[in-house]
Amino acid sequence: MRMLINVPETVVADGLRGMAAAHPELVVDVENRVVVRRDAPVAGKVGLVSGGGSGHEPLHAGFVGPGMLSAACPGEVFTSPVPDQMVRAAAAVDSGAGVLFVVKNYTGDVLNFDMAAELAEDEGIQVARVLVDDDVAVADSTFTAGRRGTGATLFVEKIAGALADEGAPLERVECMARRVNESSRSFGVALSSVTTPAKGTPTFDLPAGELELGIGIHGEPGRERRPMMTSGEIADVAVHAVLEDLRPSGPVLVLVNGMGATPLLELYGFNAEVQRVLSERGVAVARTLVGNYVTSLDMAGCSVTLCQVDEEMVRLWDAPVRTPALRWGR
């Protein structure tokens, strides 16, 4: 095992301590595993809270700040955070306007966020929940009932976060978050396995010269394995799978996302192929984001997420954002 860590047991806490040192604009509670924007709660503003297992950085803590999340709850590696974290986060960001939980569709996340919503409401906090389930690769998986939540999480957090920063009420922010999720689809590809700190060896066997189509962000099985393909061939398969399910009638946002170990040079080359396929299919592109945003530790590979957008969604996407991992406009 070659990892830049001390011991597996402290990897999340060590990462949070380093994040606190690098980003004084955040309040990082290492002991209770909650990351909050320093100016929270903002008067009259709906709070956005998300979270999930660590190992997918910058998701979610890297998206805390003006224009996106109010707080994030990191769990252990590939493990859901617990309800106490979520309630603590909700209390820290609630200004009286309510809190929206953004939840990826994984069984542990769903159960714990549901429990946290009940506990927060018992404390007088109004809570709404939006489930992200954009992955078209499989109907059910190792960790889910229904589709997995993947790259669309970034679109939901950015667009709903911008609307919340404008002072929109909870009902409207929730409605926008649902619209974004319903308008988004994703498909992922693995070129290598993922190695967790606790295990120290690859979590699944992917023979040399093969790739996995439709992989999940925890290394869950995909649709099929094939001999290694070119970037263009992978784009043909991935974009086709997304478009066959989404069937957009208007322009789309594009996220070409790295799984953690794929260099930007390769991701930009892959994006060129994604844009080619979209052009061939007559799909207009409104905006494109390329980089490692919803990752799986050291997995090599990528995912494609498309979101059909209207003028309001594009405006909210373009709105200023200032977080550790995403910033523009200010």
Side-chain angles (χ1 to χ4, degrees):
M1 180 176 68
R2 297 178 183 176
M3 293 183 177
L4 194 62
I5 65 173
N6 291 316
V7 293
E9 292 77 13
T10 66
V11 66
V12 176
D14 291 344
L16 289 174
R17 288 191 298 105
M19 184 175 215
H23 297 285
E25 72 275 17
L26 303 178
V27 176
V28 181
D29 185 338
V30 177
E31 181 179 356
N32 293 298
R33 307 288 173 87
V34 177
V35 179
V36 182
R37 51 186 283 184
R38 188 166 291 278
D39 61 352
V42 178
K45 176 189 174 305
V46 170
L48 257 70
V49 175
S50 192
S54 295
H56 305 304
E57 289 74 21
L59 191 79
H60 296 269
F63 298 142
V64 174
M68 282 191 85
L69 293 177
S70 306
C73 307
E76 291 297 328
V77 172
F78 292 178
T79 302
S80 170
V82 298
D84 283 352
Q85 291 173 259
M86 303 158 189
V87 175
R88 190 180 297 269
V93 305
D94 180 41
S95 67
V99 174
L100 177 66
F101 284 166
V102 178
V103 188
K104 299 191 306 301
N105 188 33
Y106 296 96
T107 302
D109 291 35
V110 172
L111 292 174
N112 286 344
F113 269 104
D114 283 351
M115 185 179 299
E118 294 178 6
L119 294 172
E121 287 167 351
D122 288 343
E123 295 185 8
I125 302 171
Q126 184 183 5
V127 177
R129 285 157 285 179
V130 169
L131 192 68
V132 181
D133 57 353
D134 55 303
D135 185 8
V136 303
V138 291
D140 298 286
S141 72
T142 312
F143 291 82
T144 67
R147 290 178 167 178
R148 303 175 288 216
T150 57
T153 312
L154 185 154
F155 289 158
V156 171
E157 292 175 357
K158 172 62 183 77
I159 293 173
L163 188 60
D165 266 22
E166 292 182 352
L170 179 59
E171 181 179 358
R172 189 169 168 223
V173 176
E174 177 190 4
C175 180
M176 177 58 74
R178 292 190 190 281
R179 279 179 56 202
V180 174
N181 176 64
E182 291 165 2
S183 302
S184 300
R185 302 289 189 276
S186 298
F187 189 89
V189 179
L191 308 182
S192 73
S193 180
V194 57
T195 301
T196 63
K199 191 169 188 290
T201 56
T203 58
F204 64 92
D205 178 47
L206 187 57
E210 294 187 4
L211 53 74
E212 182 103 20
L213 296 171
I215 197 74
I217 58 174
H218 306 95
E220 308 100 307
R223 288 184 175 183
E224 61 177 311
R225 288 189 178 179
R226 291 190 188 177
M228 188 60 198
M229 303 157 66
T230 67
S231 177
E233 291 168 340
I234 294 171
D236 286 331
V237 171
V239 177
H240 175 78
V242 171
L243 291 178
E244 286 304 295
D245 198 289
L246 182 61
R247 298 185 181 276
S249 58
V252 297
L253 292 178
V254 179
L255 171 63
V256 170
N257 173 70
M259 297 302 235
T262 299
L264 270 172
L265 178 64
E266 296 177 28
L267 292 177
Y268 278 120
F270 181 65
N271 179 54
E273 298 297 338
V274 169
Q275 303 289 330
R276 170 188 59 79
V277 178
L278 291 172
S279 177
E280 291 172 352
R281 294 286 296 269
V283 178
V285 175
R287 301 287 187 274
T288 300
L289 183 65
V290 179
N292 290 283
Y293 294 103
V294 183
T295 64
S296 184
L297 290 171
D298 63 342
M299 182 187 288
C302 60
S303 62
V304 177
T305 303
L306 303 180
C307 175
Q308 180 173 317
V309 290
D310 56 24
E311 289 184 4
E312 183 183 25
M313 293 162 74
V314 173
R315 179 184 66 79
L316 293 168
W317 176 258
D318 288 342
V321 59
R322 192 168 71 253
T323 71
L326 209 65
R327 51 179 65 212
W328 57 67
R330 285 184 189 165

